[in-house]
């Protein structure tokens, strides 16, 4: 099952969407800003290229500069 993420622009739009979802008897849940950020980071991690590896020395060199 796919999921929609809808971000209303204001309180009036939020209330309209909230009422609509309940009238349609759809399951809803609210996400905090932090939870939305976590979901975005998870999506980016899943899309990342994991085929390449980087040496520990290369990472340490970057961190020191």
């Amino acid at each position: 099952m796919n999921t929609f993420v809808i971000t209303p622009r204001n309180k009036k739009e939020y209330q309209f969407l909230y009422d609509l979802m309940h009238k349609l008897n759809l399951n809803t849940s609210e996400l905090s800003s932090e939870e939305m950020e976590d979901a975005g980071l998870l999506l980016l991690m899943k899309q990342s290229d994991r085929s390449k590896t980087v040496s520990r020395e290369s990472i340490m060199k970057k961190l020191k500069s």
Side-chain angles (χ1 to χ4, degrees), residues 5-25:
V5 175
I6 301 171
T7 306
R9 290 172 277 194
N10 54 47
K11 287 183 182 183
K12 185 177 178 181
E13 194 172 88
Y14 170 85
Q15 193 61 50
F16 171 77
L17 291 169
Y18 182 84
D19 293 341
L20 177 63
M21 296 300 149
H22 285 301
K23 282 181 183 180
L24 294 173
N25 201 25

Side-chain angles (χ1 to χ4, degrees), residues 25-38:
N25 201 25
L26 296 172
N27 292 331
T28 60
S29 58
E30 294 183 40
L31 298 177
S32 68
S33 295
E34 187 174 307
E35 290 170 321
M36 286 177 51
E37 184 178 311
D38 289 345

Side-chain angles (χ1 to χ4, degrees), residues 44-60:
L44 288 174
M45 289 190 307
K46 284 184 175 183
Q47 293 173 350
S48 69
D49 180 11
R50 296 186 195 171
S51 62
K52 296 179 183 177
T53 59
V54 180
S55 69
R56 180 171 170 30
E57 293 80 25
S58 175
I59 293 171
M60 296 310 287

